[in-house]
Amino acid sequence: MAIHIHYAKNNIEANLKNSKVQSVPFRIHADCDAPIKSYFEPYVKTNDQEVLTASFRGYPLRGKNIEVPQGYVGVVLHESIKPSTDKDERKFYVVNRFKEMTYWNWDKIPSKNDPFIKAFDWIDIAEALHSPVDEE
């Protein structure tokens, strides 16, 4: 299966707005924008340790804002036509970008032990492993 990501370079750099991205520990069965400014954001509280607290349908959430590493940009992809089999080609389109996102856990504070946050550490490790070495 091949995956194609379509984007216009000008769109990524200029025309796309910076999105507010939330990574939540549950699945919402919808494929559309959610009105989080009205129903979620007003109820998010921040404590002195920059830990965010909120709830979803009565369940407590703990969150943390995470910045995309310097030199990288996060993108939001949209797949308009789902493949019918695993062997079909997939086409994704870049619809927005982001420099920061909010990562949420159920009732525990996000930490370096969370796999999602560990993935950001791997960017630095991969860069160190694959960057050219100066022989002196």
Side-chain angles (χ1 to χ4, degrees):
M1 159 183 55
I3 296 176
H4 302 280
I5 298 176
H6 300 279
Y7 73 98
K9 187 174 182 178
N10 295 341
N11 281 353
I12 294 253
E13 294 172 357
N15 298 336
L16 296 177
K17 64 180 191 229
N18 279 317
S19 295
K20 181 146 181 129
V21 175
Q22 310 269 342
S23 175
V24 292
F26 47 85
R27 182 177 299 240
I28 298 173
H29 296 286
D31 190 14
C32 59
D33 290 339
I36 63 168
K37 284 187 180 188
S38 302
Y39 298 108
F40 187 69
E41 286 182 0
Y43 305 103
V44 174
K45 306 287 187 251
T46 307
N47 69 15
D48 51 350
Q49 298 172 347
E50 297 185 13
V51 175
L52 306 170
T53 58
S55 66
F56 183 77
R57 295 189 174 178
Y59 293 98
L61 294 171
R62 302 291 177 263
K64 181 178 181 179
N65 288 325
I66 300 172
E67 289 188 25
V68 175
Q70 188 72 18
Y72 291 88
V73 63
V75 293
V76 179
L77 302 175
H78 177 72
E79 184 176 30
S80 56
I81 301 172
K82 306 279 189 219
S84 55
T85 68
D86 290 343
K87 296 180 181 175
D88 289 346
E89 290 188 356
R90 299 183 74 179
K91 293 181 182 175
F92 292 92
Y93 297 89
V94 176
V95 295
N96 262 326
R97 67 179 180 181
F98 60 94
K99 292 273 189 192
E100 180 183 82
M101 64 178 299
T102 305
Y103 173 70
W104 293 98
N105 270 337
W106 287 117
D107 59 355
K108 68 175 189 162
I109 297 172
S111 70
K112 289 278 190 187
N113 293 328
D114 292 329
F116 190 86
I117 296 176
K118 280 183 185 180
F120 282 90
D121 291 338
W122 278 101
I123 292 172
D124 294 334
I125 294 168
E127 218 169 83
L129 288 173
H130 297 289
S131 63
V133 177
D134 294 332
E135 293 183 29
E136 293 181 12

